[in-house]
Amino acid sequence: MARSRCTLTHFTLTLFTIALVLSCLSSADAQHTRSLKRPRSCRARLNAASSSGSATPTSSISHSTTPAGSSKPPSHTSQPASSASNCFPALGFQMPDEVPQDTNNWWCDASTEYAFLGFSYEVSACQSKKQLQKEFADIRKTFNSRYVRLYGTCDNEGFYDDVVDAAWDNGLGVHALIWFGFEGGTEWKNRRDSLFKSLHSNPKAKFVTRVVQFGSEPLFDGAISASQLAKQVLAAKKQLADLGIPVTVSDMAYGYQMQDNKKDSQAVLDAIDSINAHMLPFFAGDASTAKKAWPGMERDIKYFVDHGKGKKIYFSENGWPSVTGGSTKPTNPNAVANVANERDYYQLLEDHCEDLKAQPGGGVGWFAHIYSEDQEPGYGIYGSNGKTKFQFAPKTHC
């Protein structure tokens, strides 16, 4: 999720002016003005706003105060994502006692990976092994998650090995991330090399790492040129070919659309193995309430379908904030941020499960951004009090 840099006032004002002119255009053309980009030193501690006057929900996504780690999970109405449970990470899959020799017939088919997949999970706190094990168990058992999508970075040596162990022990796949950050520089290269070293040296890594993401909005941030990013993706695919780990880029549609040379942005889309798309319609120029967000989302989906050449699409950074203020400011002042709208956004995804399932590559699978308010204020499914902000039991199948 993209956080706003404290030193880019002039740039942000310029983009805001552009957004006012283009407010009637598609959300794909307006999302770029969102002001979430901020370095960690600027990150404000915000309390989730309470919702009021909301209609009684008619599905499994409703208000609740389930304690974190509660032994009583939400009531799931969905069926397992795959009729077979002999593939990883299907909900009925039993992890083997020993690490297999290879990944042949290991991963579930992409056609089963639609609807709710799991959570974005920020690792900037460098969680301990114990915390990773506890929260990954909660992610799997309480919410029927199949994956975690990493966000942020922990540069501690061996941290990704801890992530791999926690994922293996709890039957979760991982969308790994090479973090570029918001400060510029070349530290991302060290993170890339460290991750690749772990992937090659840890015998469990290739069995839980579904994909490696290059950056979280690197195109939108201008962290690297599109032409250089395409080259990095292709080089990474060669380095990871022996492990069978795909490579992608995590960015919004506008990150591709804003490039001056459209051939370069298409080169990135051609290079990646799957599409990790950011879907944050709260920041669209025509945003209002979550219930009205689908038309703009369709435009972004269409862009990726038209340019992705049939590739699998994941909503990797995907949600609606429950607060405004600080660095979480909408482009359109009519955009409403509260717990009710955060809940309504996930209900919108539920209501359009069949539409998402019908997309190329086996349908769109989505992550909820983000696991806890402690990781990203305003977006957590768990509030700062350790309880869920609303009952969250999304479909894994439709």
Side-chain angles (χ1 to χ4, degrees):
M1 177 146 90
R3 289 180 281 202
S4 66
R5 306 176 180 79
C6 298
T7 58
L8 293 185
T9 303
H10 177 73
F11 179 68
T12 304
L13 289 173
T14 301
L15 290 180
F16 181 74
T17 302
I18 295 172
L20 290 177
V21 176
L22 300 178
S23 62
C24 294
L25 297 180
S26 71
S27 61
D29 291 332
Q31 274 198 70
H32 67 290
T33 58
R34 59 198 179 90
S35 56
L36 280 177
K37 305 272 186 198
R38 63 188 188 278
R40 181 154 298 280
S41 61
C42 302
R43 176 172 169 176
R45 280 304 214 178
L46 303 174
N47 294 322
S50 61
S51 63
S52 61
S54 58
T56 302
T58 58
S59 79
S60 58
I61 295 182
S62 59
H63 286 290
S64 176
T65 54
T66 305
S70 170
S71 60
K72 184 178 181 181
S75 175
H76 286 269
T77 60
S78 58
Q79 298 298 317
S82 173
S83 59
S85 59
N86 60 347
C87 60
F88 181 79
L91 296 179
F93 183 72
Q94 296 297 315
M95 297 296 289
D97 294 332
E98 303 292 336
V99 178
Q101 291 185 346
D102 56 55
T103 57
N104 291 338
N105 300 316
W106 173 257
W107 292 100
C108 292
D109 189 85
S111 63
T112 69
E113 294 188 346
Y114 64 92
F116 174 67
L117 295 179
F119 293 92
S120 281
Y121 183 90
E122 185 168 348
V123 296
S124 301
C126 293
Q127 290 89 332
S128 66
K129 292 181 180 180
K130 182 178 180 180
Q131 185 175 355
L132 288 171
Q133 288 283 356
K134 177 182 178 181
E135 293 183 342
F136 280 23
D138 180 53
I139 286 170
R140 177 71 169 187
K141 296 174 182 178
T142 302
F143 298 99
N144 278 352
S145 299
R146 288 165 277 170
Y147 289 96
V148 290
R149 177 254 178 177
L150 300 187
Y151 177 69
T153 189
C154 174
D155 293 328
N156 291 352
E157 184 176 356
F159 179 77
Y160 190 70
D161 293 314
D162 293 342
V163 170
V164 167
D165 287 343
W168 174 274
D169 292 346
N170 292 286
L172 286 171
V174 179
H175 284 220
L177 176 66
I178 299 168
W179 181 253
F180 282 76
F182 310 121
E183 307 299 320
T186 60
E187 184 59 30
W188 65 270
K189 295 182 179 180
N190 294 329
R191 293 169 182 150
R192 174 201 60 196
D193 295 344
S194 177
L195 176 61
F196 290 0
K197 179 181 178 181
S198 180
L199 292 175
H200 279 98
S201 63
N202 189 322
K204 296 178 181 176
K206 67 181 179 181
F207 293 97
V208 298
T209 307
R210 183 57 151 170
V211 68
V212 168
Q213 306 168 92
F214 259 96
S216 189
E217 298 182 0
L219 293 173
F220 172 72
D221 290 340
I224 185 173
S225 70
S227 60
Q228 287 299 314
L229 182 57
K231 292 178 181 178
Q232 285 293 325
V233 170
L234 293 172
K237 289 170 67 172
K238 290 182 179 179
Q239 292 187 56
L240 301 177
D242 61 323
L243 302 175
I245 297 175
V247 180
T248 188
V249 169
S250 195
D251 215 316
M252 69 180 92
Y254 185 77
Y256 293 93
Q257 294 168 333
M258 67 185 286
Q259 304 304 311
D260 291 334
N261 190 331
K262 304 307 179 185
K263 290 184 178 179
D264 288 343
S265 59
Q266 186 61 52
V268 177
L269 288 163
D270 290 343
I272 57 179
D273 292 306
S274 60
I275 296 170
N276 273 30
H278 289 196
M279 193 62 65
L280 298 160
F282 174 77
F283 299 96
D286 56 358
S288 57
T289 63
K291 290 181 179 180
K292 299 179 180 180
W294 183 249
M297 295 169 65
E298 282 189 302
R299 291 191 289 267
D300 281 1
I301 293 170
K302 185 177 186 303
Y303 172 81
F304 285 118
V305 170
D306 289 347
H307 294 83
K309 300 179 180 179
K311 292 177 180 177
K312 178 75 176 182
I313 301 173
Y314 300 94
F315 290 171
S316 53
E317 195 161 312
N318 170 61
W320 190 282
S322 60
V323 296
T324 55
S327 57
T328 305
K329 298 177 181 179
T331 301
N332 189 331
N334 294 321
V336 182
N338 55 31
V339 173
N341 272 272
E342 182 182 7
R343 178 207 63 201
D344 288 346
Y345 177 72
Y346 292 116
Q347 184 61 55
L348 184 70
L349 296 176
E350 293 281 274
D351 294 342
H352 288 278
C353 184
E354 293 286 355
D355 296 315
L356 295 174
K357 181 181 178 181
Q359 300 306 318
V364 176
W366 59 268
F367 291 86
H369 193 85
I370 201 164
Y371 178 66
S372 170
E373 292 285 294
D374 292 336
Q375 297 177 359
E376 193 68 28
Y379 287 87
I381 297 300
Y382 279 120
S384 57
N385 61 358
K387 299 180 180 180
T388 53
K389 290 150 69 176
F390 46 90
Q391 184 175 326
F392 187 74
K395 300 173 184 175
T396 59
H397 173 81
C398 61

